[in-house]
Amino acid sequence: QSDNVKFPLKLDIDMEKVVGVWVGQIRSLLGIEEVTAYETLPVPSVGIREWEKDFQLRHRLLENILDSKSTLSSLSHLLSQIPNIVIREDIGQMVVKAVEKVATSSALVEEAKLVEGYQASREALELSETAFFDQSLLAL
């Protein structure tokens, strides 16, 4: 019977069930708990809900801001321990921009501009980590 099989095989798959499992796995990976209809307003069963996206943006935004502040604080502590260190101008500018991006991100969240706030928080984190791990400081 296996001799009669011709490739490629045409399979009819119920993609609604497949996507449902996939969305459930994504929610699980992101740490989003399943909400039943009786706890809130009616819950659509397809896609990521708007509040779930907002929650993830707020959560990641807060993580980025806290990580950026922690990195900048560590950099400040490290540099205060080395009395005669010379910091390049571009590193100083990165630190200043990172602090500005943290403030911008916080202000944008207060205005409910979550996507823009998240982007600013990512930039703040990238700038602070780039400054912290700069080769000129690592050579010490």
Side-chain angles (χ1 to χ4, degrees):
Q1 184 176 3
S2 64
D3 294 338
N4 296 336
V5 176
K6 295 187 179 184
F7 294 97
L9 291 176
K10 182 178 182 207
L11 299 175
D12 290 326
I13 299 175
D14 183 0
M15 291 307 291
E16 193 169 321
K17 289 181 182 179
V18 173
V19 170
V21 170
W22 183 80
V23 168
Q25 292 295 319
I26 290 290
R27 284 193 176 116
S28 176
L29 287 171
L30 293 175
I32 300 171
E33 296 180 21
E34 188 59 38
V35 177
T36 57
Y38 70 88
E39 293 175 347
T40 62
L41 298 173
V43 179
S45 62
V46 283
I48 301 294
R49 298 169 191 106
E50 193 65 31
W51 68 267
E52 290 172 329
K53 184 178 95 175
D54 286 355
F55 172 80
Q56 287 301 314
L57 284 170
R58 288 177 192 274
H59 182 73
R60 301 297 178 221
L61 187 146
L62 179 60
E63 279 184 343
N64 290 345
I65 288 175
L66 293 175
D67 288 346
S68 184
K69 285 183 176 184
S70 174
T71 301
L72 291 170
S73 178
S74 296
L75 179 60
S76 173
H77 180 72
L78 174 70
L79 297 177
S80 69
Q81 299 297 314
I82 306 169
N84 297 332
I85 190 165
V86 176
I87 302 170
R88 293 190 341 236
E89 181 68 27
D90 61 324
I91 301 301
Q93 288 300 316
M94 279 187 218
V95 171
V96 169
K97 286 181 184 176
V99 171
E100 289 171 354
K101 289 292 183 179
V102 166
T104 300
S105 178
S106 297
L108 288 168
V109 169
E110 289 178 12
E111 297 172 12
K113 297 179 179 176
L114 298 180
V115 174
E116 295 90 342
Y118 171 73
Q119 290 169 341
S121 74
R122 280 192 53 198
E123 291 172 23
L125 183 59
E126 289 171 14
L127 287 165
S128 62
E129 288 186 345
T130 301
F132 186 83
F133 291 109
D134 187 78
Q135 292 296 332
S136 67
L137 298 176
L138 293 176
L140 302 173

